[in-house]
Amino acid sequence: MAGVELFSHPAFRTRYRAGLCSAAALALLLIGALTYVPPLLVAYRSHGFWLKQSAYLEQPTVRFRYEVLFVATTGPGPGSFLAWSTFPAFNRLQEERLRVPLLSTREEDKNQDGKMDQLYFKLELPLQSTEHVVGVQLILVFSYQLHRMSTFVMQSMAFLQFFSPLPGSHLYVNGDLKLNQRQLLNHCGLDTRYNVSVINGTSPFASDYDLTNIIAAYQDRNVTTVLSDPNPVWMTGRAADTPFIINATIHYPMEVILYQPGFWEMIKFAWIQYVSILLIFLWVFGRIKIFVFQNQVLTTTPISPVLPVSPVLTYKLHQS
Amino acid sequence: MASLGVLVPARFLALTAHLVAVLTILWAREPHVLASLPLEFAPEEYARADTELLVALGTTVALLALELGGFFAGVSMFHPPQALLSATAHGGATLALGFFLFERWGCGAYWGVLGAGSVLPAATELLLLVVVLGCKRKRL
């Protein structure tokens, strides 16, 4: 028999043969291409075929590092401020402007899940009766960790600044320590790029403690934290010989973290999309193929199998 | 032939659907012309891109007219392989133009759709016309 078997279907028990260079073979090739290529084009051109970014929810493991840099402005003059930090080198540079506050902090795990949920921070700055605080700049340093996808470890800060035309007695702040991402995080591995000090506490140079330089270096990072919605409440009317008080509550909220999916996650989503569209094409072109060969739209040689003859039929034939 | 009962209406529907899609794009060319231009462009550039799309759409309509002519005149109406090729090509082209409309593709993408969806079946139709009318043969 000339040609090769091009098509057969178990339901119809007929095989269709034709030459390799026949129209039927060409049509079969074309149908094959039309079945498998267009689903790919449809999936790709309707966007989102390759998963470029994804997101997950995680509460970070945040701990306050007990590193503080505090500057209280007491007047409009260039040298009228009081400062203190947890860095001895900075304190040495302040000389007579150094004022040691009373500090009390407490971190609380409200839902007992092993991760801290908020920080209570209280700073009492003793003042003389002639001194008045009109502005506050405060840096708190945190250790910030994410574990669910990649292990991301960094030292981050919360910067708080408030100025008022009226001298204050009390500043109340309540906000969230939010993650600020300029770049997608990895899906696996250990990321310690930013596990470096926000403030170089060992440096003897004044420039290393300049707020402008600290913030400039910090903002160079692609992943930072920021004190969001601090809602500062400035209270005036300080009684003589009472300290200036900063009361801050900083929440460590759940974060939506954007990350770059890995190879298998990308392939998985592409495969799901491709195969689900391919199934429709397979069904449609399967029907077209059956139609074309059954109705001899393109000339082929149908070969029907010789069915095994049953003994009963043989007997009856013999009788007649 | 039993297959013609399916192939003839299928081909007619595919041709009509393609024609409707082309006319829809013809009446709402602006988003596609803008999609194929940079953010800032001169009026001449717009006119050139508009003309390009107009030419492409005009060519499609002409090729469709040729096929519809051959189809209604009976030259290829009872020719199953041509009906199969034409129905598949125009059905595919209609799907692609659906994407073209909804995703606001630029003019460049249209030429690909034109080549595969219109030129291919029109070329075989033309061949049939030449064979049937020119050589006075009943079938290819």
Side-chain angles (χ1 to χ4, degrees), chain A residues 112-147:
Chain A
Q112 302 290 315
D113 65 346
K115 290 179 178 177
M116 294 301 168
D117 295 309
Q118 61 190 49
L119 164 77
Y120 296 99
F121 176 90
K122 190 178 181 189
L123 184 148
E124 292 180 27
L125 181 72
L127 292 174
Q128 292 169 7
S129 53
T130 53
E131 289 172 329
H132 300 287
V133 175
V134 291
V136 164
Q137 286 163 319
L138 177 69
I139 289 177
L140 304 177
V141 180
F142 296 90
S143 153
Y144 196 97
Q145 295 181 5
L146 296 168
H147 295 284

PDB file of all heavy atoms in Angstrom, chain A residues 112-147:
ATOM      1  N   GLN A 112       1.347  36.720  70.925  1.00  0.00           N
ATOM      2  CA  GLN A 112       2.141  35.559  71.392  1.00  0.00           C
ATOM      3  C   GLN A 112       2.589  34.657  70.242  1.00  0.00           C
ATOM      4  O   GLN A 112       2.566  33.446  70.366  1.00  0.00           O
ATOM      5  CB  GLN A 112       1.312  34.739  72.392  1.00  0.00           C
ATOM      6  CG  GLN A 112       0.833  35.507  73.606  1.00  0.00           C
ATOM      7  CD  GLN A 112       1.976  35.873  74.542  1.00  0.00           C
ATOM      8  OE1 GLN A 112       2.833  35.058  74.837  1.00  0.00           O
ATOM      9  NE2 GLN A 112       2.012  37.123  74.978  1.00  0.00           N
ATOM     10  N   ASP A 113       2.980  35.252  69.107  1.00  0.00           N
ATOM     11  CA  ASP A 113       3.433  34.419  67.989  1.00  0.00           C
ATOM     12  C   ASP A 113       4.961  34.420  67.873  1.00  0.00           C
ATOM     13  O   ASP A 113       5.514  33.930  66.891  1.00  0.00           O
ATOM     14  CB  ASP A 113       2.790  34.891  66.671  1.00  0.00           C
ATOM     15  CG  ASP A 113       3.240  36.293  66.281  1.00  0.00           C
ATOM     16  OD1 ASP A 113       3.828  36.979  67.149  1.00  0.00           O
ATOM     17  OD2 ASP A 113       2.990  36.706  65.139  1.00  0.00           O
ATOM     18  N   GLY A 114       5.613  34.942  68.851  1.00  0.00           N
ATOM     19  CA  GLY A 114       7.076  34.941  68.828  1.00  0.00           C
ATOM     20  C   GLY A 114       7.666  36.128  68.093  1.00  0.00           C
ATOM     21  O   GLY A 114       8.888  36.262  68.020  1.00  0.00           O
ATOM     22  N   LYS A 115       6.815  36.963  67.511  1.00  0.00           N
ATOM     23  CA  LYS A 115       7.302  38.153  66.813  1.00  0.00           C
ATOM     24  C   LYS A 115       6.778  39.389  67.525  1.00  0.00           C
ATOM     25  O   LYS A 115       5.594  39.452  67.859  1.00  0.00           O
ATOM     26  CB  LYS A 115       6.813  38.165  65.362  1.00  0.00           C
ATOM     27  CG  LYS A 115       7.465  37.108  64.509  1.00  0.00           C
ATOM     28  CD  LYS A 115       6.938  37.145  63.103  1.00  0.00           C
ATOM     29  CE  LYS A 115       7.643  36.101  62.243  1.00  0.00           C
ATOM     30  NZ  LYS A 115       7.113  36.045  60.897  1.00  0.00           N
ATOM     31  N   MET A 116       7.668  40.350  67.719  1.00  0.00           N
ATOM     32  CA  MET A 116       7.261  41.571  68.413  1.00  0.00           C
ATOM     33  C   MET A 116       6.263  42.351  67.551  1.00  0.00           C
ATOM     34  O   MET A 116       6.392  42.396  66.325  1.00  0.00           O
ATOM     35  CB  MET A 116       8.489  42.436  68.699  1.00  0.00           C
ATOM     36  CG  MET A 116       9.443  41.790  69.679  1.00  0.00           C
ATOM     37  SD  MET A 116       8.613  41.478  71.230  1.00  0.00           S
ATOM     38  CE  MET A 116       9.771  40.413  72.047  1.00  0.00           C
ATOM     39  N   ASP A 117       5.276  42.936  68.180  1.00  0.00           N
ATOM     40  CA  ASP A 117       4.236  43.652  67.439  1.00  0.00           C
ATOM     41  C   ASP A 117       4.349  45.160  67.566  1.00  0.00           C
ATOM     42  O   ASP A 117       3.935  45.885  66.673  1.00  0.00           O
ATOM     43  CB  ASP A 117       2.860  43.207  67.900  1.00  0.00           C
ATOM     44  CG  ASP A 117       2.614  41.761  67.559  1.00  0.00           C
ATOM     45  OD1 ASP A 117       2.825  41.411  66.394  1.00  0.00           O
ATOM     46  OD2 ASP A 117       2.263  40.991  68.464  1.00  0.00           O
ATOM     47  N   GLN A 118       4.854  45.644  68.692  1.00  0.00           N
ATOM     48  CA  GLN A 118       5.021  47.095  68.811  1.00  0.00           C
ATOM     49  C   GLN A 118       6.054  47.452  69.863  1.00  0.00           C
ATOM     50  O   GLN A 118       6.408  46.649  70.720  1.00  0.00           O
ATOM     51  CB  GLN A 118       3.689  47.777  69.095  1.00  0.00           C
ATOM     52  CG  GLN A 118       3.006  47.364  70.371  1.00  0.00           C
ATOM     53  CD  GLN A 118       1.599  47.928  70.397  1.00  0.00           C
ATOM     54  OE1 GLN A 118       0.849  47.788  69.427  1.00  0.00           O
ATOM     55  NE2 GLN A 118       1.243  48.592  71.479  1.00  0.00           N
ATOM     56  N   LEU A 119       6.526  48.683  69.719  1.00  0.00           N
ATOM     57  CA  LEU A 119       7.551  49.200  70.625  1.00  0.00           C
ATOM     58  C   LEU A 119       6.986  50.416  71.344  1.00  0.00           C
ATOM     59  O   LEU A 119       6.405  51.307  70.708  1.00  0.00           O
ATOM     60  CB  LEU A 119       8.788  49.613  69.796  1.00  0.00           C
ATOM     61  CG  LEU A 119       9.813  50.505  70.492  1.00  0.00           C
ATOM     62  CD1 LEU A 119      10.665  49.688  71.450  1.00  0.00           C
ATOM     63  CD2 LEU A 119      10.725  51.186  69.473  1.00  0.00           C
ATOM     64  N   TYR A 120       7.133  50.408  72.662  1.00  0.00           N
ATOM     65  CA  TYR A 120       6.794  51.605  73.449  1.00  0.00           C
ATOM     66  C   TYR A 120       8.114  52.273  73.790  1.00  0.00           C
ATOM     67  O   TYR A 120       8.995  51.644  74.372  1.00  0.00           O
ATOM     68  CB  TYR A 120       6.058  51.225  74.732  1.00  0.00           C
ATOM     69  CG  TYR A 120       4.732  50.574  74.479  1.00  0.00           C
ATOM     70  CD1 TYR A 120       4.591  49.194  74.538  1.00  0.00           C
ATOM     71  CD2 TYR A 120       3.620  51.337  74.190  1.00  0.00           C
ATOM     72  CE1 TYR A 120       3.380  48.596  74.300  1.00  0.00           C
ATOM     73  CE2 TYR A 120       2.391  50.746  73.961  1.00  0.00           C
ATOM     74  CZ  TYR A 120       2.278  49.371  74.010  1.00  0.00           C
ATOM     75  OH  TYR A 120       1.068  48.784  73.770  1.00  0.00           O
ATOM     76  N   PHE A 121       8.230  53.525  73.432  1.00  0.00           N
ATOM     77  CA  PHE A 121       9.497  54.243  73.621  1.00  0.00           C
ATOM     78  C   PHE A 121       9.183  55.526  74.377  1.00  0.00           C
ATOM     79  O   PHE A 121       8.303  56.304  73.975  1.00  0.00           O
ATOM     80  CB  PHE A 121      10.077  54.551  72.236  1.00  0.00           C
ATOM     81  CG  PHE A 121      11.335  55.370  72.254  1.00  0.00           C
ATOM     82  CD1 PHE A 121      12.582  54.753  72.313  1.00  0.00           C
ATOM     83  CD2 PHE A 121      11.289  56.759  72.207  1.00  0.00           C
ATOM     84  CE1 PHE A 121      13.739  55.506  72.312  1.00  0.00           C
ATOM     85  CE2 PHE A 121      12.445  57.514  72.212  1.00  0.00           C
ATOM     86  CZ  PHE A 121      13.676  56.886  72.266  1.00  0.00           C
ATOM     87  N   LYS A 122       9.877  55.725  75.478  1.00  0.00           N
ATOM     88  CA  LYS A 122       9.646  56.944  76.254  1.00  0.00           C
ATOM     89  C   LYS A 122      10.991  57.575  76.568  1.00  0.00           C
ATOM     90  O   LYS A 122      11.912  56.895  77.041  1.00  0.00           O
ATOM     91  CB  LYS A 122       8.898  56.620  77.546  1.00  0.00           C
ATOM     92  CG  LYS A 122       8.428  57.860  78.265  1.00  0.00           C
ATOM     93  CD  LYS A 122       7.648  57.507  79.514  1.00  0.00           C
ATOM     94  CE  LYS A 122       7.178  58.777  80.192  1.00  0.00           C
ATOM     95  NZ  LYS A 122       6.603  58.492  81.501  1.00  0.00           N
ATOM     96  N   LEU A 123      11.090  58.861  76.263  1.00  0.00           N
ATOM     97  CA  LEU A 123      12.333  59.590  76.485  1.00  0.00           C
ATOM     98  C   LEU A 123      12.001  60.833  77.293  1.00  0.00           C
ATOM     99  O   LEU A 123      11.112  61.606  76.922  1.00  0.00           O
ATOM    100  CB  LEU A 123      12.950  59.942  75.128  1.00  0.00           C
ATOM    101  CG  LEU A 123      14.302  60.626  75.080  1.00  0.00           C
ATOM    102  CD1 LEU A 123      15.049  60.206  73.844  1.00  0.00           C
ATOM    103  CD2 LEU A 123      14.200  62.137  75.118  1.00  0.00           C
ATOM    104  N   GLU A 124      12.681  60.984  78.425  1.00  0.00           N
ATOM    105  CA  GLU A 124      12.458  62.180  79.259  1.00  0.00           C
ATOM    106  C   GLU A 124      13.736  62.986  79.269  1.00  0.00           C
ATOM    107  O   GLU A 124      14.773  62.516  79.756  1.00  0.00           O
ATOM    108  CB  GLU A 124      12.085  61.765  80.688  1.00  0.00           C
ATOM    109  CG  GLU A 124      10.740  61.095  80.764  1.00  0.00           C
ATOM    110  CD  GLU A 124      10.380  60.698  82.190  1.00  0.00           C
ATOM    111  OE1 GLU A 124      10.859  61.345  83.140  1.00  0.00           O
ATOM    112  OE2 GLU A 124       9.644  59.714  82.329  1.00  0.00           O
ATOM    113  N   LEU A 125      13.663  64.175  78.701  1.00  0.00           N
ATOM    114  CA  LEU A 125      14.851  65.032  78.592  1.00  0.00           C
ATOM    115  C   LEU A 125      14.806  66.099  79.699  1.00  0.00           C
ATOM    116  O   LEU A 125      13.933  66.987  79.666  1.00  0.00           O
ATOM    117  CB  LEU A 125      14.860  65.704  77.212  1.00  0.00           C
ATOM    118  CG  LEU A 125      16.051  66.608  76.919  1.00  0.00           C
ATOM    119  CD1 LEU A 125      17.307  65.768  76.698  1.00  0.00           C
ATOM    120  CD2 LEU A 125      15.782  67.471  75.700  1.00  0.00           C
ATOM    121  N   PRO A 126      15.690  66.003  80.640  1.00  0.00           N
ATOM    122  CA  PRO A 126      15.674  67.020  81.705  1.00  0.00           C
ATOM    123  C   PRO A 126      16.085  68.384  81.159  1.00  0.00           C
ATOM    124  O   PRO A 126      17.024  68.482  80.352  1.00  0.00           O
ATOM    125  CB  PRO A 126      16.691  66.496  82.724  1.00  0.00           C
ATOM    126  CG  PRO A 126      17.510  65.497  82.009  1.00  0.00           C
ATOM    127  CD  PRO A 126      16.764  65.017  80.824  1.00  0.00           C
ATOM    128  N   LEU A 127      15.369  69.416  81.558  1.00  0.00           N
ATOM    129  CA  LEU A 127      15.629  70.771  81.050  1.00  0.00           C
ATOM    130  C   LEU A 127      15.716  71.744  82.201  1.00  0.00           C
ATOM    131  O   LEU A 127      15.083  71.552  83.248  1.00  0.00           O
ATOM    132  CB  LEU A 127      14.487  71.217  80.125  1.00  0.00           C
ATOM    133  CG  LEU A 127      14.317  70.512  78.786  1.00  0.00           C
ATOM    134  CD1 LEU A 127      13.059  71.009  78.106  1.00  0.00           C
ATOM    135  CD2 LEU A 127      15.517  70.742  77.880  1.00  0.00           C
ATOM    136  N   GLN A 128      16.497  72.778  81.970  1.00  0.00           N
ATOM    137  CA  GLN A 128      16.494  73.861  82.946  1.00  0.00           C
ATOM    138  C   GLN A 128      15.261  74.728  82.686  1.00  0.00           C
ATOM    139  O   GLN A 128      14.686  74.691  81.601  1.00  0.00           O
ATOM    140  CB  GLN A 128      17.772  74.690  82.775  1.00  0.00           C
ATOM    141  CG  GLN A 128      19.018  73.911  83.174  1.00  0.00           C
ATOM    142  CD  GLN A 128      20.291  74.598  82.764  1.00  0.00           C
ATOM    143  OE1 GLN A 128      20.272  75.732  82.292  1.00  0.00           O
ATOM    144  NE2 GLN A 128      21.407  73.918  82.964  1.00  0.00           N
ATOM    145  N   SER A 129      14.905  75.536  83.657  1.00  0.00           N
ATOM    146  CA  SER A 129      13.673  76.316  83.514  1.00  0.00           C
ATOM    147  C   SER A 129      13.784  77.352  82.393  1.00  0.00           C
ATOM    148  O   SER A 129      12.780  77.807  81.854  1.00  0.00           O
ATOM    149  CB  SER A 129      13.307  76.987  84.837  1.00  0.00           C
ATOM    150  OG  SER A 129      14.437  77.725  85.286  1.00  0.00           O
ATOM    151  N   THR A 130      15.016  77.699  82.011  1.00  0.00           N
ATOM    152  CA  THR A 130      15.199  78.694  80.944  1.00  0.00           C
ATOM    153  C   THR A 130      15.195  78.054  79.560  1.00  0.00           C
ATOM    154  O   THR A 130      15.151  78.739  78.548  1.00  0.00           O
ATOM    155  CB  THR A 130      16.539  79.423  81.138  1.00  0.00           C
ATOM    156  OG1 THR A 130      17.561  78.437  81.256  1.00  0.00           O
ATOM    157  CG2 THR A 130      16.503  80.325  82.355  1.00  0.00           C
ATOM    158  N   GLU A 131      15.291  76.734  79.512  1.00  0.00           N
ATOM    159  CA  GLU A 131      15.395  76.049  78.216  1.00  0.00           C
ATOM    160  C   GLU A 131      14.002  75.634  77.718  1.00  0.00           C
ATOM    161  O   GLU A 131      13.149  75.222  78.503  1.00  0.00           O
ATOM    162  CB  GLU A 131      16.273  74.802  78.339  1.00  0.00           C
ATOM    163  CG  GLU A 131      17.732  75.132  78.543  1.00  0.00           C
ATOM    164  CD  GLU A 131      18.566  73.894  78.862  1.00  0.00           C
ATOM    165  OE1 GLU A 131      18.052  72.952  79.483  1.00  0.00           O
ATOM    166  OE2 GLU A 131      19.735  73.896  78.488  1.00  0.00           O
ATOM    167  N   HIS A 132      13.834  75.747  76.390  1.00  0.00           N
ATOM    168  CA  HIS A 132      12.552  75.361  75.780  1.00  0.00           C
ATOM    169  C   HIS A 132      12.824  74.532  74.542  1.00  0.00           C
ATOM    170  O   HIS A 132      13.677  74.897  73.737  1.00  0.00           O
ATOM    171  CB  HIS A 132      11.743  76.606  75.391  1.00  0.00           C
ATOM    172  CG  HIS A 132      11.439  77.483  76.551  1.00  0.00           C
ATOM    173  ND1 HIS A 132      10.502  77.139  77.513  1.00  0.00           N
ATOM    174  CD2 HIS A 132      11.953  78.692  76.909  1.00  0.00           C
ATOM    175  CE1 HIS A 132      10.468  78.095  78.408  1.00  0.00           C
ATOM    176  NE2 HIS A 132      11.335  79.047  78.075  1.00  0.00           N
ATOM    177  N   VAL A 133      12.086  73.460  74.386  1.00  0.00           N
ATOM    178  CA  VAL A 133      12.265  72.611  73.192  1.00  0.00           C
ATOM    179  C   VAL A 133      11.240  73.034  72.138  1.00  0.00           C
ATOM    180  O   VAL A 133      10.046  73.077  72.407  1.00  0.00           O
ATOM    181  CB  VAL A 133      12.073  71.119  73.551  1.00  0.00           C
ATOM    182  CG1 VAL A 133      12.139  70.255  72.302  1.00  0.00           C
ATOM    183  CG2 VAL A 133      13.137  70.687  74.540  1.00  0.00           C
ATOM    184  N   VAL A 134      11.755  73.372  70.920  1.00  0.00           N
ATOM    185  CA  VAL A 134      10.851  73.747  69.819  1.00  0.00           C
ATOM    186  C   VAL A 134      10.888  72.737  68.672  1.00  0.00           C
ATOM    187  O   VAL A 134      10.118  72.845  67.729  1.00  0.00           O
ATOM    188  CB  VAL A 134      11.171  75.156  69.265  1.00  0.00           C
ATOM    189  CG1 VAL A 134      10.822  76.238  70.279  1.00  0.00           C
ATOM    190  CG2 VAL A 134      12.616  75.254  68.820  1.00  0.00           C
ATOM    191  N   GLY A 135      11.805  71.809  68.786  1.00  0.00           N
ATOM    192  CA  GLY A 135      11.860  70.810  67.718  1.00  0.00           C
ATOM    193  C   GLY A 135      12.608  69.576  68.162  1.00  0.00           C
ATOM    194  O   GLY A 135      13.432  69.631  69.078  1.00  0.00           O
ATOM    195  N   VAL A 136      12.284  68.460  67.511  1.00  0.00           N
ATOM    196  CA  VAL A 136      12.878  67.180  67.888  1.00  0.00           C
ATOM    197  C   VAL A 136      13.282  66.423  66.635  1.00  0.00           C
ATOM    198  O   VAL A 136      12.545  66.406  65.657  1.00  0.00           O
ATOM    199  CB  VAL A 136      11.830  66.352  68.678  1.00  0.00           C
ATOM    200  CG1 VAL A 136      12.231  64.904  68.764  1.00  0.00           C
ATOM    201  CG2 VAL A 136      11.615  66.918  70.054  1.00  0.00           C
ATOM    202  N   GLN A 137      14.479  65.837  66.665  1.00  0.00           N
ATOM    203  CA  GLN A 137      14.887  64.907  65.614  1.00  0.00           C
ATOM    204  C   GLN A 137      15.366  63.641  66.295  1.00  0.00           C
ATOM    205  O   GLN A 137      16.198  63.707  67.209  1.00  0.00           O
ATOM    206  CB  GLN A 137      16.018  65.516  64.772  1.00  0.00           C
ATOM    207  CG  GLN A 137      15.525  66.613  63.848  1.00  0.00           C
ATOM    208  CD  GLN A 137      16.637  67.490  63.328  1.00  0.00           C
ATOM    209  OE1 GLN A 137      17.558  67.844  64.073  1.00  0.00           O
ATOM    210  NE2 GLN A 137      16.563  67.865  62.069  1.00  0.00           N
ATOM    211  N   LEU A 138      14.819  62.525  65.879  1.00  0.00           N
ATOM    212  CA  LEU A 138      15.095  61.286  66.597  1.00  0.00           C
ATOM    213  C   LEU A 138      15.282  60.149  65.594  1.00  0.00           C
ATOM    214  O   LEU A 138      14.487  59.983  64.675  1.00  0.00           O
ATOM    215  CB  LEU A 138      13.908  60.985  67.514  1.00  0.00           C
ATOM    216  CG  LEU A 138      13.921  59.696  68.313  1.00  0.00           C
ATOM    217  CD1 LEU A 138      14.994  59.734  69.390  1.00  0.00           C
ATOM    218  CD2 LEU A 138      12.558  59.474  68.968  1.00  0.00           C
ATOM    219  N   ILE A 139      16.375  59.407  65.803  1.00  0.00           N
ATOM    220  CA  ILE A 139      16.589  58.216  64.961  1.00  0.00           C
ATOM    221  C   ILE A 139      16.590  56.996  65.870  1.00  0.00           C
ATOM    222  O   ILE A 139      17.326  56.957  66.860  1.00  0.00           O
ATOM    223  CB  ILE A 139      17.921  58.304  64.190  1.00  0.00           C
ATOM    224  CG1 ILE A 139      17.836  59.356  63.084  1.00  0.00           C
ATOM    225  CG2 ILE A 139      18.279  56.949  63.567  1.00  0.00           C
ATOM    226  CD1 ILE A 139      19.124  59.557  62.318  1.00  0.00           C
ATOM    227  N   LEU A 140      15.751  56.024  65.536  1.00  0.00           N
ATOM    228  CA  LEU A 140      15.737  54.752  66.260  1.00  0.00           C
ATOM    229  C   LEU A 140      16.191  53.670  65.285  1.00  0.00           C
ATOM    230  O   LEU A 140      15.749  53.650  64.130  1.00  0.00           O
ATOM    231  CB  LEU A 140      14.326  54.428  66.750  1.00  0.00           C
ATOM    232  CG  LEU A 140      13.636  55.469  67.635  1.00  0.00           C
ATOM    233  CD1 LEU A 140      12.222  55.019  67.956  1.00  0.00           C
ATOM    234  CD2 LEU A 140      14.415  55.682  68.913  1.00  0.00           C
ATOM    235  N   VAL A 141      17.075  52.796  65.746  1.00  0.00           N
ATOM    236  CA  VAL A 141      17.611  51.773  64.843  1.00  0.00           C
ATOM    237  C   VAL A 141      17.009  50.419  65.192  1.00  0.00           C
ATOM    238  O   VAL A 141      16.904  50.054  66.362  1.00  0.00           O
ATOM    239  CB  VAL A 141      19.151  51.732  64.922  1.00  0.00           C
ATOM    240  CG1 VAL A 141      19.717  50.669  63.984  1.00  0.00           C
ATOM    241  CG2 VAL A 141      19.724  53.098  64.570  1.00  0.00           C
ATOM    242  N   PHE A 142      16.618  49.693  64.135  1.00  0.00           N
ATOM    243  CA  PHE A 142      15.965  48.393  64.311  1.00  0.00           C
ATOM    244  C   PHE A 142      16.723  47.313  63.544  1.00  0.00           C
ATOM    245  O   PHE A 142      17.401  47.600  62.558  1.00  0.00           O
ATOM    246  CB  PHE A 142      14.537  48.437  63.758  1.00  0.00           C
ATOM    247  CG  PHE A 142      13.638  49.381  64.490  1.00  0.00           C
ATOM    248  CD1 PHE A 142      13.531  50.708  64.102  1.00  0.00           C
ATOM    249  CD2 PHE A 142      12.900  48.944  65.575  1.00  0.00           C
ATOM    250  CE1 PHE A 142      12.705  51.580  64.772  1.00  0.00           C
ATOM    251  CE2 PHE A 142      12.060  49.815  66.255  1.00  0.00           C
ATOM    252  CZ  PHE A 142      11.964  51.133  65.854  1.00  0.00           C
ATOM    253  N   SER A 143      16.538  46.103  64.015  1.00  0.00           N
ATOM    254  CA  SER A 143      16.995  44.949  63.233  1.00  0.00           C
ATOM    255  C   SER A 143      15.743  44.372  62.582  1.00  0.00           C
ATOM    256  O   SER A 143      14.755  44.094  63.264  1.00  0.00           O
ATOM    257  CB  SER A 143      17.658  43.954  64.175  1.00  0.00           C
ATOM    258  OG  SER A 143      17.549  42.677  63.641  1.00  0.00           O
ATOM    259  N   TYR A 144      15.768  44.195  61.255  1.00  0.00           N
ATOM    260  CA  TYR A 144      14.563  43.855  60.486  1.00  0.00           C
ATOM    261  C   TYR A 144      14.837  42.566  59.712  1.00  0.00           C
ATOM    262  O   TYR A 144      15.790  42.504  58.933  1.00  0.00           O
ATOM    263  CB  TYR A 144      14.282  45.013  59.530  1.00  0.00           C
ATOM    264  CG  TYR A 144      12.901  45.049  58.926  1.00  0.00           C
ATOM    265  CD1 TYR A 144      11.912  45.840  59.463  1.00  0.00           C
ATOM    266  CD2 TYR A 144      12.606  44.291  57.802  1.00  0.00           C
ATOM    267  CE1 TYR A 144      10.651  45.887  58.906  1.00  0.00           C
ATOM    268  CE2 TYR A 144      11.343  44.336  57.240  1.00  0.00           C
ATOM    269  CZ  TYR A 144      10.368  45.143  57.797  1.00  0.00           C
ATOM    270  OH  TYR A 144       9.116  45.191  57.241  1.00  0.00           O
ATOM    271  N   GLN A 145      14.010  41.563  59.910  1.00  0.00           N
ATOM    272  CA  GLN A 145      14.258  40.269  59.241  1.00  0.00           C
ATOM    273  C   GLN A 145      12.979  39.717  58.609  1.00  0.00           C
ATOM    274  O   GLN A 145      11.902  39.835  59.185  1.00  0.00           O
ATOM    275  CB  GLN A 145      14.774  39.246  60.250  1.00  0.00           C
ATOM    276  CG  GLN A 145      16.118  39.608  60.821  1.00  0.00           C
ATOM    277  CD  GLN A 145      16.616  38.561  61.802  1.00  0.00           C
ATOM    278  OE1 GLN A 145      16.008  37.522  61.982  1.00  0.00           O
ATOM    279  NE2 GLN A 145      17.726  38.858  62.431  1.00  0.00           N
ATOM    280  N   LEU A 146      13.170  39.126  57.431  1.00  0.00           N
ATOM    281  CA  LEU A 146      12.071  38.421  56.754  1.00  0.00           C
ATOM    282  C   LEU A 146      12.541  36.988  56.510  1.00  0.00           C
ATOM    283  O   LEU A 146      13.714  36.777  56.199  1.00  0.00           O
ATOM    284  CB  LEU A 146      11.753  39.084  55.411  1.00  0.00           C
ATOM    285  CG  LEU A 146      11.234  40.516  55.470  1.00  0.00           C
ATOM    286  CD1 LEU A 146      11.255  41.132  54.090  1.00  0.00           C
ATOM    287  CD2 LEU A 146       9.828  40.558  56.042  1.00  0.00           C
ATOM    288  N   HIS A 147      11.634  36.028  56.644  1.00  0.00           N
ATOM    289  CA  HIS A 147      12.075  34.637  56.550  1.00  0.00           C
ATOM    290  C   HIS A 147      11.311  33.789  55.544  1.00  0.00           C
ATOM    291  O   HIS A 147      11.794  32.742  55.142  1.00  0.00           O
ATOM    292  CB  HIS A 147      11.953  33.955  57.923  1.00  0.00           C
ATOM    293  CG  HIS A 147      12.880  34.546  58.931  1.00  0.00           C
ATOM    294  ND1 HIS A 147      14.222  34.273  58.946  1.00  0.00           N
ATOM    295  CD2 HIS A 147      12.671  35.422  59.932  1.00  0.00           C
ATOM    296  CE1 HIS A 147      14.799  34.939  59.929  1.00  0.00           C
ATOM    297  NE2 HIS A 147      13.887  35.655  60.538  1.00  0.00           N
TER     298      HIS A 147
END
